[in-house]
Amino acid sequence: MSHMFVPGPVDVAAEVLAAQAKPMIPHRSKDFEAMFQRTGEKLKTVFATQYRVFQASSSGSGLQEAGIRNFVNDTVLCCVNGAFAERWYKVAQSNGKNADALNVEWGEAVTQELLADALKKKHYEAVTIVHNETSTGVENPVKDLCKVVQEVSPDTLILVDAVSSLAGVNIEMDAWGIDFLLTSSQKCFSLPPGLAFGGASDRAMQKAETVPFRGWYFDLLLMEKHRLKDSTPMTPAMSLIYALDVQLDRMLAEGLPARFARHAAMSARVQEWCHNHGMEPLAAEPYRSKTVVTVNNSQNWVVGDLNKFLQQRDMRIANGYGKLKDLTIRIATMGETQLADIEKLLQGMEDFTRQ
Ligand SMILES: *Cc1c(COP(=O)(O)O)cnc(C)c1O
């Protein structure tokens, strides 16, 4: 049963937690290399890419930084319509890049028109887009935005953060033309926090060769050299990779289309319940996230009180994020959570309103 209806970390299956307890093996060994090769191949299926997926021992933000350091010499356009998109913009600035923000109202999506205008005004080496903005519950139309970049500025690399949506929502890295696609372990992958995955296109890797001062820990060219030998430059988070190996099998056994449909159904059910209780999502259709429902807190609920009530039943939801902290309520519908778990949560919320 799920109890963490918060947008990460989410519940981890007992079998996956248990996989972490396996004894250590040397990372320079055939056994480790075989496992690392396996997880790398399965990740390629989840990312819908023929290229490569890096497995980094960090949280997702580490790969936001890697994207900037490896693929941008100077200019980058950051689409900013929420807290995590804003973080990526700050990451670019703090790495000394010439970053421009394309600011869009929080709660709204980045549109093709806005992006086309910005790309016509100035040439950028890369553009950053957050697929699923976890603060506002907005899903940006990444497939359409990729088309705009390809039309207006075809040599601009497309960097996408799908931390709170990849493996819960269909994202096709190669078919859409995404150059760098990153995610974390603790959201739709239903793993403990501590791993980040990043798919990179060949074109992006070629660009990295022209970028000096990529740093060391997140130098994707160095990581690629080792990846080709099923290895990592540094000591990998061994226990988490044991868990990843098992969880990827579970995900592929469910089937990705079934997994995506389950996420969409859970999100629709939560939205329906909220609507019936006078709370509307911040995002308009068709930009509503399928993995986190962010609704206006129009009933002025004190989320702390609601959570105290829910915790008697071993469940919790999330308050708003950043500047939306008290203005919104967030209910995550991600990972291994099932519709039956959602019904239990909604019953708990119903009982809270009636006490
Ligand atoms: C959670 C989140 C992040 C940060 O990921 P960490 O794994 O905590 O570093 C970045 N982007 C989005 C969209 C997120 O939801």
Side-chain angles (χ1 to χ4, degrees), residues 7 59-62 64 84 87 130 132-134 161 163-164 184 186-187:
S59 80
S61 305
Q64 278 193 345
F84 292 102
R87 177 182 297 182
V130 170
N132 189 75
E133 181 48 73
T134 319
D161 167 327
V163 170
S164 61
S184 303
Q186 78 277 14
K187 298 195 184 171

Side-chain angles (χ1 to χ4, degrees), residues 9 32 68 103 113 195 303 306 320 348:
F32 177 78
I68 296 295
N103 283 302
E113 295 72 29
L195 288 179
V303 175
L306 171 60

